[in-house]
Amino acid sequence: MALQCGIVGLPNVGKSTLFNCLSNAKAQSANFPFCTIEPNVGVITVPDERLNKLAELCKPQRVIPTTVEIVDIAGLVKGASKGEGLGNKFLANIRETDAILHVLRCFDDPNVVHVDGSVNPIRDKEIIDAELQLKDLETVENRLQKIQKQAQVGGDKQAKLAVDVLLRYKAALEQGLSARTVQLVSKDEEAIAKEMFLLTNKPVMYVCNVDEASAVKGNAYVEQVREAVKAENAQVLIVAAKIESEIAELETYEERQMFLEEVGLQESGVNRLIKSAYSLLNLKTFLTAGSDEVRAWTFMDGSKAPQCAGVIHTDFEKGFIRAEVIKYTDFVTLGSESACRDAGKLSIEGKDYLVQDGDIMHFRFNV
């Protein structure tokens, strides 16, 4: 399931440093704009403590976590919607992602140049928002030109509905609001919106890149961001990218944990960011557990048992008969599949079963 989160932001806010920590792909990181030109793609392991516990119980030959793709996209500048800087490439790369991690500089450092001369995360956010909104407005207006005549002349109900949705988007974008603020009231409207691939319709998380002193509780810049995005229902995450890069260089788990404790963190910002990105993409995890393999599998929230079976293999979905399901907490409490079966904690589920995060599943199928 190749869903991607794109890391975006102005030049020199810490995007590539953060990406390096996430993926160890070592995107070029330097103290000047546009050091990242081609988007770097990293396949990131999603931390899941449940796998470790299941591995202790099952003692499998291998443990396989699930992953999510993170894309480091070139820094944007004012005027990108008109092609300034690397604007066209930047916007095309964002369009291909499923969600946005918007990195904002929330630290002072005279040694790191800011493209606009001073640190102001709200201004930085508004610059990128405005460029994405302008591009979306252009997309909406072009689409309206094509479809309005069709709605008027042909009496096409679907075209009329599309025009209504597009006009609502146009009104919002002209007011400086993102497309995601427009409320859609039906599945048909949602389908129309999906076809538009609007940049500001993508789910977004704001990542505040702070200094070491602010790594635990944040700072005044972070509070400004929280206040500014309240109406967006967006998540705000605090990460100290410089610290994370130092942690990433430590070789052992014990060394990394000691470093975190010294800073006052229970979990690295990178781990929190990966988990949040996974959630932002509306992804959940089901598990398989046995002596051969303990494995995490990714599924879209709201998926039913046959769809999840298809994540393992398309034949499993085609020939789906039933799913045997054990809740993770029951498996850990009782210690094995056979113990769960004996205790009546293994349920038999059919095609309409909505799979839950953490379900341990075994599929029966016939092709």
Side-chain angles (χ1 to χ4, degrees), residues 44-52 65-68 267-268 270-276 278 285 296:
I44 316 300
T45 297
V46 178
D48 194 332
E49 295 77 10
R50 295 172 299 194
L51 288 175
N52 298 329
T66 191
T67 59
V68 63
E267 185 180 26
S268 78
V270 161
N271 276 12
R272 288 184 286 112
L273 179 57
I274 295 168
K275 290 177 182 177
S276 298
Y278 195 69
T285 302

Side-chain angles (χ1 to χ4, degrees), residues 1-7 19 22-24 40-47 65-72 97-101 205 270-285 296-300:
M1 187 175 292
L3 294 181
Q4 294 183 337
C5 278
I7 299 182
F19 178 82
L22 285 165
S23 67
N24 294 324
N40 294 276
V41 180
V43 180
I44 316 300
T45 297
V46 178
T66 191
T67 59
V68 63
E69 289 188 4
I70 306 285
V71 186
D72 178 27
T97 65
D98 301 283
I100 295 171
L101 307 178
M205 176 169 62
V270 161
N271 276 12
R272 288 184 286 112
L273 179 57
I274 295 168
K275 290 177 182 177
S276 298
Y278 195 69
S279 174
L280 192 66
L281 290 167
N282 204 27
L283 301 177
K284 302 286 186 184
T285 302
W297 302 86
T298 298
F299 70 96
M300 290 293 292

